[in-house]
Amino acid sequence: LVNMTQKKIKIIDLGLVDYNYGILYQKNIHNKTSDNANVILLEHDKVITIGTKGDNNDVLVSIEKLKKEGFSVINSDRGGQVTIHNKGQLVCYIVMPISNYNLKPVDFVRKIESLIINLLKNFDISSYIIKGKTGVWIKSDNIEKKIAAIGVRISNGISMHGFALNINNNVNDFKFIVPCGIQGSSVTSIQEELKKEYNVSMKKPKGKYICIQYRWYKGDLCHSLKKSLTLGYKHKIRIES
């Protein structure tokens, strides 16, 4: 029998979906969430999103030019400023009642940072946070480069949105914006740093795929989730997928 104090983290893989569909799906999960956590993995088609602290001036080209490039521009209720989603970027929405896991909003963001850093260790990529700058960064060619963006919202005590980690997406698309409002910032991806495409032959499997297109392994992801999101939580955590 499952202990009544045991919490569950359910992992849902949507694959490549339209941004609006992903948001509606997330809101539906949010409306039904009361106790356990849900982690939604997906990719988005080309889209620029402007967060609640975003500045339209950080979109550097005209709407007409963006449409020709295949981009739409959408205002988002997440925290943060301007970012880009495109194919090959892992988007992870985390929907969970943070107080049930003994977390305050700032603690929750720290957990997400830790989760990303732990995931990148699976690729032998060393990453870190920079005080005063959002997201997760690496140093490459002696230049600090952003590899993951973070933007969350807490509504009725339940989190929404999460992070976007660049896997093998086209980071040149970021030239159309000022990423997260940080002038002159560079953006990179796992593929850029590895100098070759990441594929299944580069890593020994630890379990069934949780998200085949990213080559995430269930063992890696579950370990990082339990280590990062629930650190300090005194009850048992069960992963479902």
PDB file of all heavy atoms in Angstrom, residues 49 58-60 78 80-84 133-134 137 146 149 166 171 173-188:
ATOM      1  N   THR A  49       8.228  35.027 -26.614  1.00  0.00           N
ATOM      2  CA  THR A  49       7.286  35.336 -25.539  1.00  0.00           C
ATOM      3  C   THR A  49       7.827  36.483 -24.693  1.00  0.00           C
ATOM      4  O   THR A  49       9.028  36.570 -24.428  1.00  0.00           O
ATOM      5  CB  THR A  49       7.018  34.105 -24.643  1.00  0.00           C
ATOM      6  OG1 THR A  49       8.219  33.717 -23.970  1.00  0.00           O
ATOM      7  CG2 THR A  49       6.515  32.945 -25.487  1.00  0.00           C
ATOM      8  N   ASP A  58      12.813  45.077 -26.391  1.00  0.00           N
ATOM      9  CA  ASP A  58      13.799  43.996 -26.426  1.00  0.00           C
ATOM     10  C   ASP A  58      13.547  43.022 -27.580  1.00  0.00           C
ATOM     11  O   ASP A  58      14.319  42.082 -27.770  1.00  0.00           O
ATOM     12  CB  ASP A  58      13.809  43.237 -25.089  1.00  0.00           C
ATOM     13  CG  ASP A  58      14.492  44.047 -23.990  1.00  0.00           C
ATOM     14  OD1 ASP A  58      15.233  44.986 -24.319  1.00  0.00           O
ATOM     15  OD2 ASP A  58      14.278  43.728 -22.806  1.00  0.00           O
ATOM     16  N   VAL A  59      12.480  43.247 -28.315  1.00  0.00           N
ATOM     17  CA  VAL A  59      12.282  42.558 -29.602  1.00  0.00           C
ATOM     18  C   VAL A  59      12.873  43.486 -30.654  1.00  0.00           C
ATOM     19  O   VAL A  59      12.373  44.589 -30.878  1.00  0.00           O
ATOM     20  CB  VAL A  59      10.789  42.290 -29.881  1.00  0.00           C
ATOM     21  CG1 VAL A  59      10.623  41.585 -31.221  1.00  0.00           C
ATOM     22  CG2 VAL A  59      10.185  41.448 -28.758  1.00  0.00           C
ATOM     23  N   LEU A  60      13.952  43.062 -31.288  1.00  0.00           N
ATOM     24  CA  LEU A  60      14.809  43.971 -32.041  1.00  0.00           C
ATOM     25  C   LEU A  60      14.437  44.148 -33.507  1.00  0.00           C
ATOM     26  O   LEU A  60      15.024  44.994 -34.187  1.00  0.00           O
ATOM     27  CB  LEU A  60      16.265  43.492 -31.936  1.00  0.00           C
ATOM     28  CG  LEU A  60      16.820  43.383 -30.508  1.00  0.00           C
ATOM     29  CD1 LEU A  60      18.236  42.828 -30.532  1.00  0.00           C
ATOM     30  CD2 LEU A  60      16.778  44.739 -29.803  1.00  0.00           C
ATOM     31  N   ARG A  78       3.989  34.507 -17.443  1.00  0.00           N
ATOM     32  CA  ARG A  78       5.121  34.046 -16.637  1.00  0.00           C
ATOM     33  C   ARG A  78       5.943  35.239 -16.170  1.00  0.00           C
ATOM     34  O   ARG A  78       5.873  36.340 -16.744  1.00  0.00           O
ATOM     35  CB  ARG A  78       6.019  33.105 -17.451  1.00  0.00           C
ATOM     36  CG  ARG A  78       6.659  33.790 -18.643  1.00  0.00           C
ATOM     37  CD  ARG A  78       7.825  33.027 -19.239  1.00  0.00           C
ATOM     38  NE  ARG A  78       8.262  33.655 -20.481  1.00  0.00           N
ATOM     39  CZ  ARG A  78       9.016  34.731 -20.561  1.00  0.00           C
ATOM     40  NH1 ARG A  78       9.418  35.350 -19.460  1.00  0.00           N
ATOM     41  NH2 ARG A  78       9.363  35.218 -21.733  1.00  0.00           N
ATOM     42  N   GLY A  80       9.626  37.190 -15.660  1.00  0.00           N
ATOM     43  CA  GLY A  80      10.765  37.346 -16.552  1.00  0.00           C
ATOM     44  C   GLY A  80      10.468  38.278 -17.712  1.00  0.00           C
ATOM     45  O   GLY A  80       9.451  38.968 -17.749  1.00  0.00           O
ATOM     46  N   GLN A  81      11.390  38.261 -18.670  1.00  0.00           N
ATOM     47  CA  GLN A  81      11.317  39.236 -19.751  1.00  0.00           C
ATOM     48  C   GLN A  81      11.101  38.554 -21.101  1.00  0.00           C
ATOM     49  O   GLN A  81      10.147  37.809 -21.250  1.00  0.00           O
ATOM     50  CB  GLN A  81      12.573  40.112 -19.691  1.00  0.00           C
ATOM     51  CG  GLN A  81      12.691  40.800 -18.322  1.00  0.00           C
ATOM     52  CD  GLN A  81      13.800  41.811 -18.228  1.00  0.00           C
ATOM     53  OE1 GLN A  81      13.989  42.645 -19.078  1.00  0.00           O
ATOM     54  NE2 GLN A  81      14.569  41.726 -17.144  1.00  0.00           N
ATOM     55  N   VAL A  82      11.950  38.802 -22.072  1.00  0.00           N
ATOM     56  CA  VAL A  82      11.737  38.285 -23.423  1.00  0.00           C
ATOM     57  C   VAL A  82      12.613  37.067 -23.679  1.00  0.00           C
ATOM     58  O   VAL A  82      13.814  37.073 -23.358  1.00  0.00           O
ATOM     59  CB  VAL A  82      12.042  39.372 -24.475  1.00  0.00           C
ATOM     60  CG1 VAL A  82      11.854  38.821 -25.892  1.00  0.00           C
ATOM     61  CG2 VAL A  82      11.143  40.587 -24.267  1.00  0.00           C
ATOM     62  N   THR A  83      12.039  36.031 -24.243  1.00  0.00           N
ATOM     63  CA  THR A  83      12.832  34.861 -24.624  1.00  0.00           C
ATOM     64  C   THR A  83      12.262  34.252 -25.896  1.00  0.00           C
ATOM     65  O   THR A  83      11.212  34.658 -26.400  1.00  0.00           O
ATOM     66  CB  THR A  83      12.902  33.817 -23.504  1.00  0.00           C
ATOM     67  OG1 THR A  83      13.960  32.894 -23.801  1.00  0.00           O
ATOM     68  CG2 THR A  83      11.595  33.045 -23.365  1.00  0.00           C
ATOM     69  N   ILE A  84      12.984  33.257 -26.401  1.00  0.00           N
ATOM     70  CA  ILE A  84      12.600  32.562 -27.631  1.00  0.00           C
ATOM     71  C   ILE A  84      12.448  31.082 -27.344  1.00  0.00           C
ATOM     72  O   ILE A  84      13.224  30.501 -26.587  1.00  0.00           O
ATOM     73  CB  ILE A  84      13.659  32.790 -28.732  1.00  0.00           C
ATOM     74  CG1 ILE A  84      13.387  34.117 -29.450  1.00  0.00           C
ATOM     75  CG2 ILE A  84      13.697  31.642 -29.743  1.00  0.00           C
ATOM     76  CD1 ILE A  84      14.396  34.464 -30.523  1.00  0.00           C
ATOM     77  N   LYS A 133      21.377  37.899 -12.517  1.00  0.00           N
ATOM     78  CA  LYS A 133      20.979  37.485 -13.860  1.00  0.00           C
ATOM     79  C   LYS A 133      20.183  36.190 -13.756  1.00  0.00           C
ATOM     80  O   LYS A 133      20.575  35.274 -13.053  1.00  0.00           O
ATOM     81  CB  LYS A 133      22.199  37.274 -14.755  1.00  0.00           C
ATOM     82  CG  LYS A 133      23.011  38.530 -15.012  1.00  0.00           C
ATOM     83  CD  LYS A 133      24.175  38.240 -15.959  1.00  0.00           C
ATOM     84  CE  LYS A 133      24.974  39.504 -16.251  1.00  0.00           C
ATOM     85  NZ  LYS A 133      26.089  39.241 -17.197  1.00  0.00           N
ATOM     86  N   THR A 134      19.079  36.130 -14.461  1.00  0.00           N
ATOM     87  CA  THR A 134      18.252  34.926 -14.392  1.00  0.00           C
ATOM     88  C   THR A 134      18.835  33.811 -15.245  1.00  0.00           C
ATOM     89  O   THR A 134      19.676  34.035 -16.110  1.00  0.00           O
ATOM     90  CB  THR A 134      16.825  35.221 -14.878  1.00  0.00           C
ATOM     91  OG1 THR A 134      16.886  35.656 -16.244  1.00  0.00           O
ATOM     92  CG2 THR A 134      16.168  36.287 -14.035  1.00  0.00           C
ATOM     93  N   TRP A 137      23.963  29.439 -16.597  1.00  0.00           N
ATOM     94  CA  TRP A 137      25.023  29.893 -17.482  1.00  0.00           C
ATOM     95  C   TRP A 137      26.186  28.907 -17.500  1.00  0.00           C
ATOM     96  O   TRP A 137      26.374  28.128 -16.572  1.00  0.00           O
ATOM     97  CB  TRP A 137      25.530  31.262 -17.025  1.00  0.00           C
ATOM     98  CG  TRP A 137      24.476  32.323 -16.999  1.00  0.00           C
ATOM     99  CD1 TRP A 137      23.444  32.438 -16.108  1.00  0.00           C
ATOM    100  CD2 TRP A 137      24.334  33.401 -17.911  1.00  0.00           C
ATOM    101  NE1 TRP A 137      22.666  33.534 -16.411  1.00  0.00           N
ATOM    102  CE2 TRP A 137      23.184  34.149 -17.507  1.00  0.00           C
ATOM    103  CE3 TRP A 137      25.069  33.847 -19.021  1.00  0.00           C
ATOM    104  CZ2 TRP A 137      22.769  35.291 -18.179  1.00  0.00           C
ATOM    105  CZ3 TRP A 137      24.650  34.995 -19.691  1.00  0.00           C
ATOM    106  CH2 TRP A 137      23.510  35.702 -19.273  1.00  0.00           C
ATOM    107  N   LYS A 146      24.435  31.936 -21.823  1.00  0.00           N
ATOM    108  CA  LYS A 146      23.226  31.412 -21.203  1.00  0.00           C
ATOM    109  C   LYS A 146      22.764  30.154 -21.928  1.00  0.00           C
ATOM    110  O   LYS A 146      22.644  30.148 -23.149  1.00  0.00           O
ATOM    111  CB  LYS A 146      22.122  32.468 -21.240  1.00  0.00           C
ATOM    112  CG  LYS A 146      20.915  32.145 -20.382  1.00  0.00           C
ATOM    113  CD  LYS A 146      20.014  33.362 -20.283  1.00  0.00           C
ATOM    114  CE  LYS A 146      18.970  33.166 -19.206  1.00  0.00           C
ATOM    115  NZ  LYS A 146      18.180  34.394 -19.005  1.00  0.00           N
ATOM    116  N   ALA A 149      16.840  29.333 -19.740  1.00  0.00           N
ATOM    117  CA  ALA A 149      16.058  30.457 -19.231  1.00  0.00           C
ATOM    118  C   ALA A 149      15.017  29.941 -18.243  1.00  0.00           C
ATOM    119  O   ALA A 149      14.506  28.831 -18.386  1.00  0.00           O
ATOM    120  CB  ALA A 149      15.375  31.188 -20.381  1.00  0.00           C
ATOM    121  N   ASN A 166      18.353  24.843 -23.803  1.00  0.00           N
ATOM    122  CA  ASN A 166      18.749  24.715 -25.202  1.00  0.00           C
ATOM    123  C   ASN A 166      19.508  23.411 -25.425  1.00  0.00           C
ATOM    124  O   ASN A 166      20.580  23.207 -24.855  1.00  0.00           O
ATOM    125  CB  ASN A 166      19.613  25.900 -25.622  1.00  0.00           C
ATOM    126  CG  ASN A 166      18.869  27.215 -25.520  1.00  0.00           C
ATOM    127  OD1 ASN A 166      17.662  27.275 -25.744  1.00  0.00           O
ATOM    128  ND2 ASN A 166      19.581  28.276 -25.171  1.00  0.00           N
ATOM    129  N   VAL A 171      20.404  28.563 -32.011  1.00  0.00           N
ATOM    130  CA  VAL A 171      20.616  29.684 -31.088  1.00  0.00           C
ATOM    131  C   VAL A 171      20.824  31.003 -31.831  1.00  0.00           C
ATOM    132  O   VAL A 171      20.762  32.068 -31.217  1.00  0.00           O
ATOM    133  CB  VAL A 171      21.801  29.405 -30.132  1.00  0.00           C
ATOM    134  CG1 VAL A 171      21.487  28.238 -29.220  1.00  0.00           C
ATOM    135  CG2 VAL A 171      23.095  29.173 -30.886  1.00  0.00           C
ATOM    136  N   ASP A 173      18.719  32.287 -33.652  1.00  0.00           N
ATOM    137  CA  ASP A 173      17.433  32.975 -33.588  1.00  0.00           C
ATOM    138  C   ASP A 173      17.402  34.029 -32.481  1.00  0.00           C
ATOM    139  O   ASP A 173      16.604  34.978 -32.544  1.00  0.00           O
ATOM    140  CB  ASP A 173      16.305  31.964 -33.351  1.00  0.00           C
ATOM    141  CG  ASP A 173      15.962  31.166 -34.603  1.00  0.00           C
ATOM    142  OD1 ASP A 173      16.336  31.601 -35.711  1.00  0.00           O
ATOM    143  OD2 ASP A 173      15.329  30.099 -34.472  1.00  0.00           O
ATOM    144  N   PHE A 174      18.248  33.869 -31.475  1.00  0.00           N
ATOM    145  CA  PHE A 174      18.236  34.804 -30.348  1.00  0.00           C
ATOM    146  C   PHE A 174      18.744  36.196 -30.736  1.00  0.00           C
ATOM    147  O   PHE A 174      18.637  37.135 -29.943  1.00  0.00           O
ATOM    148  CB  PHE A 174      19.046  34.239 -29.176  1.00  0.00           C
ATOM    149  CG  PHE A 174      18.321  33.154 -28.420  1.00  0.00           C
ATOM    150  CD1 PHE A 174      18.352  31.840 -28.862  1.00  0.00           C
ATOM    151  CD2 PHE A 174      17.596  33.439 -27.279  1.00  0.00           C
ATOM    152  CE1 PHE A 174      17.684  30.837 -28.196  1.00  0.00           C
ATOM    153  CE2 PHE A 174      16.913  32.448 -26.590  1.00  0.00           C
ATOM    154  CZ  PHE A 174      16.955  31.134 -27.057  1.00  0.00           C
ATOM    155  N   LYS A 175      19.269  36.332 -31.956  1.00  0.00           N
ATOM    156  CA  LYS A 175      19.717  37.648 -32.414  1.00  0.00           C
ATOM    157  C   LYS A 175      18.543  38.602 -32.603  1.00  0.00           C
ATOM    158  O   LYS A 175      18.733  39.825 -32.695  1.00  0.00           O
ATOM    159  CB  LYS A 175      20.475  37.510 -33.733  1.00  0.00           C
ATOM    160  CG  LYS A 175      19.601  37.070 -34.910  1.00  0.00           C
ATOM    161  CD  LYS A 175      20.413  36.794 -36.156  1.00  0.00           C
ATOM    162  CE  LYS A 175      19.512  36.295 -37.301  1.00  0.00           C
ATOM    163  NZ  LYS A 175      20.294  35.907 -38.488  1.00  0.00           N
ATOM    164  N   PHE A 176      17.329  38.055 -32.655  1.00  0.00           N
ATOM    165  CA  PHE A 176      16.146  38.885 -32.854  1.00  0.00           C
ATOM    166  C   PHE A 176      15.690  39.574 -31.572  1.00  0.00           C
ATOM    167  O   PHE A 176      14.785  40.411 -31.605  1.00  0.00           O
ATOM    168  CB  PHE A 176      14.987  38.045 -33.399  1.00  0.00           C
ATOM    169  CG  PHE A 176      15.252  37.439 -34.754  1.00  0.00           C
ATOM    170  CD1 PHE A 176      14.983  36.104 -34.988  1.00  0.00           C
ATOM    171  CD2 PHE A 176      15.776  38.207 -35.785  1.00  0.00           C
ATOM    172  CE1 PHE A 176      15.215  35.534 -36.236  1.00  0.00           C
ATOM    173  CE2 PHE A 176      16.017  37.658 -37.035  1.00  0.00           C
ATOM    174  CZ  PHE A 176      15.746  36.315 -37.258  1.00  0.00           C
ATOM    175  N   ILE A 177      16.272  39.211 -30.436  1.00  0.00           N
ATOM    176  CA  ILE A 177      15.827  39.758 -29.152  1.00  0.00           C
ATOM    177  C   ILE A 177      17.014  40.109 -28.264  1.00  0.00           C
ATOM    178  O   ILE A 177      18.159  39.756 -28.560  1.00  0.00           O
ATOM    179  CB  ILE A 177      14.927  38.750 -28.396  1.00  0.00           C
ATOM    180  CG1 ILE A 177      15.739  37.510 -27.986  1.00  0.00           C
ATOM    181  CG2 ILE A 177      13.714  38.365 -29.232  1.00  0.00           C
ATOM    182  CD1 ILE A 177      15.005  36.584 -27.032  1.00  0.00           C
ATOM    183  N   VAL A 178      16.717  40.803 -27.176  1.00  0.00           N
ATOM    184  CA  VAL A 178      17.658  40.934 -26.062  1.00  0.00           C
ATOM    185  C   VAL A 178      17.239  39.870 -25.053  1.00  0.00           C
ATOM    186  O   VAL A 178      16.241  40.034 -24.350  1.00  0.00           O
ATOM    187  CB  VAL A 178      17.593  42.331 -25.410  1.00  0.00           C
ATOM    188  CG1 VAL A 178      18.562  42.414 -24.227  1.00  0.00           C
ATOM    189  CG2 VAL A 178      17.907  43.411 -26.439  1.00  0.00           C
ATOM    190  N   PRO A 179      17.948  38.734 -25.002  1.00  0.00           N
ATOM    191  CA  PRO A 179      17.493  37.614 -24.160  1.00  0.00           C
ATOM    192  C   PRO A 179      17.368  38.005 -22.696  1.00  0.00           C
ATOM    193  O   PRO A 179      18.334  38.456 -22.075  1.00  0.00           O
ATOM    194  CB  PRO A 179      18.592  36.560 -24.362  1.00  0.00           C
ATOM    195  CG  PRO A 179      19.238  36.919 -25.662  1.00  0.00           C
ATOM    196  CD  PRO A 179      19.186  38.422 -25.722  1.00  0.00           C
ATOM    197  N   CYS A 180      16.143  37.864 -22.183  1.00  0.00           N
ATOM    198  CA  CYS A 180      15.860  38.132 -20.765  1.00  0.00           C
ATOM    199  C   CYS A 180      16.291  39.535 -20.347  1.00  0.00           C
ATOM    200  O   CYS A 180      16.595  39.772 -19.177  1.00  0.00           O
ATOM    201  CB  CYS A 180      16.506  37.068 -19.882  1.00  0.00           C
ATOM    202  SG  CYS A 180      15.876  35.410 -20.211  1.00  0.00           S
ATOM    203  N   GLY A 181      16.322  40.466 -21.306  1.00  0.00           N
ATOM    204  CA  GLY A 181      16.637  41.854 -20.999  1.00  0.00           C
ATOM    205  C   GLY A 181      18.085  42.129 -20.678  1.00  0.00           C
ATOM    206  O   GLY A 181      18.417  43.219 -20.206  1.00  0.00           O
ATOM    207  N   ILE A 182      18.956  41.167 -20.955  1.00  0.00           N
ATOM    208  CA  ILE A 182      20.380  41.327 -20.619  1.00  0.00           C
ATOM    209  C   ILE A 182      21.141  41.695 -21.887  1.00  0.00           C
ATOM    210  O   ILE A 182      21.392  40.854 -22.752  1.00  0.00           O
ATOM    211  CB  ILE A 182      20.956  40.043 -19.994  1.00  0.00           C
ATOM    212  CG1 ILE A 182      20.136  39.646 -18.766  1.00  0.00           C
ATOM    213  CG2 ILE A 182      22.422  40.238 -19.613  1.00  0.00           C
ATOM    214  CD1 ILE A 182      20.501  38.296 -18.193  1.00  0.00           C
ATOM    215  N   GLN A 183      21.501  42.971 -22.024  1.00  0.00           N
ATOM    216  CA  GLN A 183      22.184  43.454 -23.209  1.00  0.00           C
ATOM    217  C   GLN A 183      23.525  42.742 -23.405  1.00  0.00           C
ATOM    218  O   GLN A 183      24.298  42.559 -22.467  1.00  0.00           O
ATOM    219  CB  GLN A 183      22.427  44.967 -23.096  1.00  0.00           C
ATOM    220  CG  GLN A 183      21.170  45.818 -23.156  1.00  0.00           C
ATOM    221  CD  GLN A 183      20.643  45.966 -24.576  1.00  0.00           C
ATOM    222  OE1 GLN A 183      21.302  45.593 -25.538  1.00  0.00           O
ATOM    223  NE2 GLN A 183      19.447  46.524 -24.707  1.00  0.00           N
ATOM    224  N   GLY A 184      23.797  42.347 -24.640  1.00  0.00           N
ATOM    225  CA  GLY A 184      25.091  41.770 -24.974  1.00  0.00           C
ATOM    226  C   GLY A 184      25.294  40.346 -24.516  1.00  0.00           C
ATOM    227  O   GLY A 184      26.408  39.813 -24.623  1.00  0.00           O
ATOM    228  N   SER A 185      24.238  39.704 -24.018  1.00  0.00           N
ATOM    229  CA  SER A 185      24.417  38.345 -23.515  1.00  0.00           C
ATOM    230  C   SER A 185      24.493  37.346 -24.668  1.00  0.00           C
ATOM    231  O   SER A 185      23.857  37.518 -25.701  1.00  0.00           O
ATOM    232  CB  SER A 185      23.272  37.963 -22.571  1.00  0.00           C
ATOM    233  OG  SER A 185      22.035  37.990 -23.255  1.00  0.00           O
ATOM    234  N   SER A 186      25.298  36.314 -24.485  1.00  0.00           N
ATOM    235  CA  SER A 186      25.442  35.251 -25.476  1.00  0.00           C
ATOM    236  C   SER A 186      24.602  34.053 -25.065  1.00  0.00           C
ATOM    237  O   SER A 186      24.377  33.813 -23.879  1.00  0.00           O
ATOM    238  CB  SER A 186      26.915  34.835 -25.593  1.00  0.00           C
ATOM    239  OG  SER A 186      27.714  35.906 -26.061  1.00  0.00           O
ATOM    240  N   VAL A 187      24.147  33.304 -26.050  1.00  0.00           N
ATOM    241  CA  VAL A 187      23.306  32.130 -25.817  1.00  0.00           C
ATOM    242  C   VAL A 187      23.968  30.916 -26.454  1.00  0.00           C
ATOM    243  O   VAL A 187      24.569  31.009 -27.523  1.00  0.00           O
ATOM    244  CB  VAL A 187      21.892  32.339 -26.409  1.00  0.00           C
ATOM    245  CG1 VAL A 187      21.041  31.094 -26.220  1.00  0.00           C
ATOM    246  CG2 VAL A 187      21.222  33.554 -25.766  1.00  0.00           C
ATOM    247  N   THR A 188      23.875  29.774 -25.787  1.00  0.00           N
ATOM    248  CA  THR A 188      24.468  28.554 -26.315  1.00  0.00           C
ATOM    249  C   THR A 188      23.515  27.381 -26.089  1.00  0.00           C
ATOM    250  O   THR A 188      22.425  27.549 -25.544  1.00  0.00           O
ATOM    251  CB  THR A 188      25.841  28.274 -25.675  1.00  0.00           C
ATOM    252  OG1 THR A 188      26.497  27.221 -26.394  1.00  0.00           O
ATOM    253  CG2 THR A 188      25.713  27.900 -24.201  1.00  0.00           C
TER     254      THR A 188
END
